[in-house]
Amino acid sequence: MSEHRSAKSPVPWGIRENIDGLKSLTELFGSMRFAISLLVMLAVASIIGTVITQEEPYPNYVNQFGPFWADIFLGAGLYNVYGSWWFVLILIFVVTSVSICLTRNTPRMIAEMRSWKDRVREGSLRAFRHKGEFDVAAVCCSDAVTLVTDHAHKMGYKLITRRTETGGILIAGKRGVHNKLGYISAHAAIVVICIGALLDSKLPIELQMRLFGKTPTEIDTAIDAISPSHRLPPSNPTFRGFALVAEGQRASSAVLSVENGSLVQDLPFSIRLNKFVVDYYSTGMPKLFASDIAVIDHRTGERVVARVEVNKPFTYDGISIYQSSFQDGGSTLAMTAWPMRGSSSTAEPFEGMVGATTKIGPRAVSGKGEAVELTDFRAINVEDISDSNTRGGKKTHLLEEELDARLGSGAKSTKSTDLRNLGPSVRYKIRSADGQAREFVNYFLPIDVSGQRVFLAGVRVGVNDPFRFLRIPADEQNSVKEWMNLRAALGTPDLRVQATHRFVRRLQLDPEGPTPKHLEEQVLHVLDLFAGANPDETAIVSAPSLGGFRAISGLVDRSMPTLEQEKAARELLRTLEGVTWDLWQLARGRNGEPEAELDEKHRLFIRSSINALSDSFFYGAPVFLQLDSFNQVQASVFQLTRAPGKDVVYLGSLLLVLGIFSMFYVRERRLWFWLTDTENGGTRVLMAMSTARRTLDFEKDFARTRDSVGAMLGVANMHTTRVTSASVTPTASGGKQDPVK
């Protein structure tokens, strides 16, 4: 015989334990403490994401924080806070917690807004702290109801009237009850904003990677050749990627950076860059970057022409196109390759395209297999080359300048600036046959440095190192030809011997007499050291072939006492300057040019040339590439975003503003009038007033309402109620509740 469980039979222990656990979890998620803790965590994470620049290359963080902290911050996901798993998890918890609060409290708040609280009794109203009582002798109850109702309507109250069981008339009014919508709106705004943030996060992409097998890859080939397993469809609901488009070219996909690689995002349209526009201020600083583009729809074939500027995106099919940056799109360059090694000064024409690799001719580098990788070309380079104001070689500080520097806008700088366009520049890498490379940057036009026009040639070994510049003096034709001929002459042993002989003979008082052999040997020894041609002597400076001033310094340190080294160095520099002059004349004669006149201009050229020759030993390049002409091709870098959560966040922000405004500026007021007939044919009016949160404003509002009702009825309050701050007992809801049933 089967037993039937009664409705009141106890729930089995296992089920009851699960129910209790679910209730406890719901209570935790719906508690105010949990929600506030999550919001604090969200605020702290947002501050971190604001302070630390997001999604920078990892070496930048190593330079900023050091290798130890850089690795810790990387593991914590602080370089991509808004896309990290823990930030997304916090958002999900915030949505869950606030949603539980809304689900639990919204029905109660709506019911309270709809309620008139008209089931109150006369004794309850008399127990109110905020009340007034009036005896109106000459007015019957029905007329008093009309007077009170009209007056309450003028004060903005909505009213209902009913007759009580005792024969009296109760008028219940309410005003500002919609302020509870402010609480609902503010809490709903948090949910809506967090949902918008989740829609625009990397969560949809992560789900596609897990559900549909999408995997990241390294973009080391043409984008069109990337396999479908590394591509996202055009229907992807949210993404943020970049596309590089050269002038005259088009792109139909964007590259998305994800952990461990990149994904290719296919677009429902193609972007063609018709022209990249750059406009400049009179100082040479750019004031406008813009791209004239054409968007071609893949489905309809529609072609839409638009201009994209910085902070002025163009939106098509829900995808916003931003002008992110620009770079070279494959400019073709015509250059001259000057050899930097050996005794040859024969230049070779060199042509290349930015982004391509070209072998250097064998004559320039003796067939060692070096290759040039052209990485960037800039037609305009604006730099600050300002110097301190000087008068007579001394810095001057006028009183007006001092006052102006310290008064006015806080954005002013006390340093003067001299922005100048240094002309075009080309950046490239020279890679040896064993794969080692150095990066170089050369400027097309000479600039004036300390009275001498020089060509700047920068070099660095590591990508994080600053460029160190070789200053090659320009000749009278504004070229490097004269210096290159001098460099080649310095590398020719026979010319060094002839230059030494000429220099020593110029020092002799008797030009026809024999030259002192020991003096020639000493001068030649100095010149050979400077040319890096004496490995035995230069071994002390860590590189057998290193010449220049370091070799001369090694000779002085090794052969002279400390107290005499400075004087000896000055003498050696004068000797070096004199013999280099003769070496230059021999180089000019070898190239069919007349000897130069010994004047101050040419002396300055020799001094600058000696400095450049010394620095050239650290240059480390087999050739110097001098830019002759170019055909520039620009490329725009577009940021393409589909952000459906953006409008959701805007809606949440609007709800938040409305909610906060309602909570702060809309005050709830409840008003009751209990009217009964008196024995002498008049009316007794009992007034009571309450609010959800008692404040000083409410005290003043009650006093004004009580006095205005008395003035309207033509009588004074029978019982003056004195309310002090001590008589208001606060509760968890913000004040002591009136006994309204």
Side-chain angles (χ1 to χ4, degrees):
M1 187 173 177
S2 61
E3 295 183 0
H4 297 277
R5 186 180 303 276
S6 66
K8 295 183 179 180
S9 61
V11 179
W13 174 255
I15 298 178
R16 187 176 64 186
E17 187 178 27
N18 292 336
I19 293 176
D20 291 342
L22 182 60
K23 286 184 177 179
S24 299
L25 189 62
T26 304
E27 288 295 330
L28 172 63
F29 280 4
S31 66
M32 183 181 295
R33 292 182 179 180
F34 186 72
I36 292 177
S37 300
L38 290 174
L39 291 174
V40 170
M41 294 170 62
L42 201 63
V44 171
S46 300
I47 292 173
I48 294 174
T50 304
V51 172
I52 299 179
T53 307
Q54 300 292 287
E55 299 186 22
E56 288 277 316
Y58 180 70
N60 293 2
Y61 297 115
V62 175
N63 292 338
Q64 185 176 0
F65 303 115
F68 176 76
W69 288 107
D71 287 341
I72 292 179
F73 292 163
L74 178 65
L78 300 187
Y79 305 144
N80 186 17
V81 169
Y82 307 111
S84 60
W85 64 268
W86 52 267
F87 189 84
V88 173
L89 188 62
I90 293 175
L91 288 177
I92 294 174
F93 278 140
V94 169
V95 171
T96 304
S97 177
V98 181
S99 297
I100 292 175
C101 293
L102 279 174
T103 304
R104 180 186 299 167
N105 297 319
T106 298
R108 178 178 58 81
M109 289 185 176
I110 293 177
E112 188 174 351
M113 284 191 301
R114 292 178 174 177
S115 172
W116 290 95
K117 297 185 179 181
D118 58 338
R119 296 302 170 183
V120 63
R121 297 173 182 172
E122 183 179 4
S124 299
L125 293 181
R126 292 188 181 280
F128 272 56
R129 286 193 177 89
H130 299 83
K131 64 180 182 295
E133 193 169 356
F134 310 92
D135 256 343
V136 186
V139 180
C140 65
C141 189
S142 59
D143 292 340
V145 168
T146 302
L147 290 173
V148 169
T149 303
D150 291 343
H151 187 72
H153 277 306
K154 291 178 181 179
M155 290 188 294
Y157 285 90
K158 294 181 179 180
L159 305 170
I160 64 168
T161 304
R162 74 175 181 87
R163 185 168 292 277
T164 65
E165 295 83 355
T166 60
I169 297 176
L170 174 67
I171 301 174
K174 59 183 178 180
R175 185 185 72 183
V177 292
H178 292 92
N179 76 324
K180 289 183 173 57
L181 291 177
Y183 291 92
I184 299 173
S185 178
H187 285 75
I190 297 175
V191 175
V192 171
I193 291 174
C194 291
I195 290 176
L198 287 172
L199 289 176
D200 287 349
S201 69
K202 293 185 178 180
L203 183 60
I205 296 177
E206 292 291 337
L207 291 176
Q208 293 184 68
M209 293 173 64
R210 295 183 182 277
L211 298 178
F212 303 111
K214 302 296 183 181
T215 56
T217 184
E218 295 294 336
I219 308 297
D220 54 0
T221 183
I223 292 182
D224 294 338
I226 302 296
S227 66
S229 62
H230 309 309
R231 311 180 77 97
L232 297 174
S235 58
N236 183 21
T238 177
F239 60 83
R240 180 178 286 103
F242 293 88
L244 173 67
V245 188
E247 286 181 327
Q249 303 296 319
R250 64 172 62 185
S252 58
S253 57
V255 177
L256 279 62
S257 296
V258 295
E259 190 175 358
N260 301 323
S262 302
L263 290 171
V264 177
Q265 172 64 59
D266 291 325
L267 303 174
F269 53 79
S270 297
I271 304 173
R272 175 184 171 85
L273 179 60
N274 296 326
K275 185 176 179 58
F276 181 77
V277 181
V278 186
D279 195 10
Y280 298 91
Y281 292 105
S282 58
T283 59
M285 290 290 290
K287 68 177 180 179
L288 172 67
F289 297 138
S291 297
D292 293 330
I293 64 172
V295 177
I296 302 98
D297 194 299
H298 291 167
R299 183 173 54 87
T300 64
E302 181 184 7
R303 185 186 184 94
V304 180
V305 177
R307 168 169 282 201
V308 180
E309 300 180 17
V310 177
N311 297 327
K312 294 182 180 179
F314 173 70
T315 302
Y316 184 84
D317 197 16
I319 300 176
S320 298
I321 306 171
Y322 294 86
Q323 179 71 54
S324 176
S325 61
F326 67 95
Q327 62 186 57
D328 193 273
S331 301
T332 55
L333 309 177
M335 296 178 284
T336 300
W338 295 93
M340 294 290 287
R341 298 172 181 166
S343 58
S344 173
S345 62
T346 304
E348 290 186 4
F350 183 87
E351 293 185 356
M353 184 176 70
V354 175
T357 301
T358 308
K359 290 285 186 180
I360 303 177
R363 285 190 302 168
V365 295
S366 305
K368 292 186 179 181
E370 283 92 344
V372 175
E373 302 171 3
L374 296 174
T375 58
D376 192 20
F377 170 75
R378 295 184 181 181
I380 292 180
N381 291 272
V382 178
E383 302 290 346
D384 181 12
I385 58 173
S386 60
D387 195 3
S388 300
N389 294 329
T390 58
R391 290 187 180 180
K394 296 182 179 180
K395 294 182 180 179
T396 60
H397 299 279
L398 301 178
L399 178 59
E400 307 162 74
E401 297 173 355
E402 293 290 335
L403 291 175
D404 183 64
R406 287 159 175 79
L407 298 177
S409 171
K412 291 196 302 185
S413 172
T414 57
K415 296 181 179 179
S416 60
T417 57
D418 183 11
L419 299 176
R420 186 180 303 179
N421 179 19
L422 301 184
S425 68
V426 58
R427 185 172 294 191
Y428 57 91
K429 293 181 180 179
I430 296 183
R431 194 173 299 276
S432 61
D434 60 359
Q436 300 297 317
R438 286 190 174 194
E439 188 175 10
F440 301 87
V441 56
N442 294 346
Y443 287 87
F444 180 52
L445 301 176
I447 66 170
D448 189 277
V449 177
S450 301
Q452 173 67 49
R453 297 184 64 79
V454 297
F455 289 92
L456 297 179
V459 57
R460 66 180 179 184
V461 178
V463 294
N464 296 318
D465 297 335
F467 279 102
R468 296 181 299 170
F469 285 92
L470 172 66
R471 301 178 179 183
I472 301 177
D475 54 27
E476 295 177 351
Q477 286 72 39
N478 276 335
S479 72
V480 298
K481 182 179 179 180
E482 289 291 335
W483 185 86
M484 288 296 175
N485 290 337
L486 178 59
R487 186 213 58 77
L490 184 65
T492 305
D494 291 343
L495 289 181
R496 291 201 300 270
V497 172
Q498 295 179 37
T500 301
H501 183 73
R502 282 183 46 134
F503 173 70
V504 174
R505 289 193 67 85
R506 283 197 299 116
L507 295 179
Q508 287 184 256
L509 296 177
D510 182 10
E512 302 298 330
T515 58
K517 189 171 183 59
H518 70 281
L519 183 58
E520 272 196 42
E521 291 176 351
Q522 292 177 357
V523 174
L524 180 61
H525 180 61
V526 172
L527 191 58
D528 287 343
L529 282 177
F530 187 79
N534 194 334
D536 292 334
E537 295 293 342
T538 58
I540 59 174
V541 290
S542 76
S545 60
L546 188 63
F549 291 139
R550 292 194 64 178
I552 301 298
S553 175
L555 174 64
V556 173
D557 290 342
R558 182 173 56 86
S559 59
M560 301 297 295
T562 304
L563 296 178
E564 299 181 9
Q565 287 180 2
E566 184 178 353
K567 180 180 178 180
R570 286 197 298 267
E571 293 296 331
L572 287 176
L573 289 179
R574 279 197 291 267
T575 299
L576 185 62
E577 183 178 338
V579 72
T580 303
W581 171 268
D582 290 293
L583 184 64
W584 183 36
Q585 306 314 309
L586 292 174
R588 289 175 63 89
R590 187 171 66 166
N591 290 278
E593 299 177 7
E595 292 192 6
E597 182 181 354
L598 186 60
D599 54 18
E600 188 58 34
K601 181 180 66 174
H602 290 136
R603 283 196 179 96
L604 181 59
F605 175 79
I606 286 296
R607 296 191 191 102
S608 301
S609 296
I610 291 174
N611 293 333
L613 288 170
S614 177
D615 293 340
S616 67
F617 290 99
F618 301 94
Y619 191 59
V623 293
F624 168 78
L625 297 180
Q626 184 179 25
L627 183 65
D628 298 325
S629 62
F630 57 88
N631 181 21
Q632 188 179 21
V633 177
Q634 294 276 28
S636 282
V637 179
F638 297 112
Q639 181 183 19
L640 297 104
T641 62
R642 175 181 280 163
K646 178 180 65 175
D647 295 333
V648 178
V649 172
Y650 289 159
L651 174 61
S653 301
L654 177 61
L655 290 175
L656 186 61
V657 171
L658 294 176
I660 293 176
F661 181 86
S662 299
M663 287 189 294
F664 278 94
Y665 296 102
V666 178
R667 302 296 186 185
E668 180 185 2
R669 300 287 188 264
R670 295 280 182 169
L671 184 63
W672 294 269
F673 293 98
W674 190 289
L675 293 86
T676 56
D677 294 320
T678 60
E679 295 177 355
N680 57 2
T683 304
R684 176 167 295 167
V685 180
L686 174 63
M687 184 200 82
M689 192 172 177
S690 73
T691 184
R693 188 182 297 272
R694 296 190 184 98
T695 61
L696 292 177
D697 289 339
F698 174 70
E699 304 292 344
K700 296 177 181 178
D701 191 18
F702 166 71
R704 284 194 300 267
T705 303
R706 182 192 59 201
D707 295 342
S708 66
V709 170
M712 179 268 302
L713 295 174
V715 295
N717 183 21
M718 293 173 56
H719 305 284
T720 302
T721 303
R722 187 175 183 182
V723 181
T724 63
S725 59
S727 66
V728 180
T729 305
T731 64
S733 62
K736 183 176 179 179
Q737 296 296 320
D738 292 315
V740 178
K741 297 183 181 179

